[in-house]
């Protein structure tokens, strides 16, 4: 179950009538506080950030390599500006607990937020990372979320 950290996945965040997704590759999984967890990183300027901030549950939907076209759209376009579901051909469905995933997903992790904090520039031990990943041309510092994996669905 935890051999997925290097794969690209879609975050899916849902509110009562709206949802958004994004492609991401920064994150991982493990055990923390006696729970199976994932950790994800989202920049505040991303549209998806608004959704994760207002809800407590989300899904991580893993698509196979055959869906690179979907990854590209969801990773380069904003849901503020377009309907990514229509543009990508994703087929959403509502999970038993009310979260949303996609028919194309081969693995879905239904998660609940446990902890969140902003990455802080003064906390970097390796200062070279700041210029490599943040600032001009890269974007703002990420917010890190630790999320409990509550359910795992495998196709």
């Amino acid at each position: 179950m935890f051999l997925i950290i290097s794969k690209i996945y879609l975050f899916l965040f849902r509110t009562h009538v709206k949802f958004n997704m994004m492609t991401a590759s920064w994150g991982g999984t493990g055990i923390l506080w006696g729970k199976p967890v994932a950790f994800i990183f989202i920049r505040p300027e991303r549209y998806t950030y608004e959704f994760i901030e207002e809800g407590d549950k989300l899904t991580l939907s893993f698509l196979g390599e055959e869906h690179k076209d979907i990854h590209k759209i969801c990773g380069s376009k904003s849901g503020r500006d377009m309907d990514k579901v229509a543009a990508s051909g994703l087929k959403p469905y509502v999970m038993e607990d009310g979260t949303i995933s996609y028919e194309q997903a081969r693995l879905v992790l239904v998660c609940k937020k446990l902890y969140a904090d902003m990455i802080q520039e003064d906390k970097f031990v390796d200062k070279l990372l700041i210029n490599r990943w943040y600032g001009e041309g890269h974007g703002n510092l990420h917010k890190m979320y630790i999320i409990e994996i509550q359910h795992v669905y495998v196709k």
Side-chain angles (χ1 to χ4, degrees), residues 28-145:
T29 58
I31 302 294
L32 183 64
W33 304 312
K35 299 174 181 279
V37 298
F39 50 94
I40 59 174
F41 301 84
I42 303 174
R43 294 179 198 269
E45 62 265 29
R46 296 293 299 255
Y47 184 48
T48 303
Y49 180 84
E50 299 170 23
F51 289 85
I52 193 170
E53 282 295 299
E54 67 183 50
D56 68 336
K57 294 192 88 171
L58 59 115
T59 60
L60 304 180
S61 297
F62 294 78
L63 309 183
E65 294 296 320
E66 68 275 16
H67 296 295
K68 284 185 180 185
D69 53 332
I70 294 173
H71 292 146
K72 186 175 179 182
I73 290 168
C74 293
S76 65
K77 307 294 182 192
S78 175
R80 284 187 190 104
D81 306 324
M82 68 180 297
D83 180 347
K84 290 195 287 188
V85 170
S88 67
L90 282 167
K91 297 175 183 158
Y93 69 91
V94 179
M95 308 278 287
E96 292 174 9
D97 64 354
T99 58
I100 297 173
S101 188
Y102 297 97
E103 290 180 19
Q104 293 95 329
R106 62 187 170 112
L107 173 67
V108 178
L109 306 181
V110 177
C111 303
K112 179 182 174 189
K113 290 190 306 187
L114 297 176
Y115 178 86
D117 198 8
M118 290 299 299
I119 300 295
Q120 299 172 44
E121 190 171 328
D122 64 330
K123 302 296 184 193
F124 277 87
V125 176
D126 183 346
K127 303 296 184 192
L128 296 175
L129 293 172
I130 298 166
N131 290 332
R132 169 68 179 97
W133 296 105
Y134 300 101
E136 192 173 321
H138 295 291
N140 294 319
L141 294 167
H142 289 86
K143 188 166 191 177
M144 177 191 66
Y145 297 89

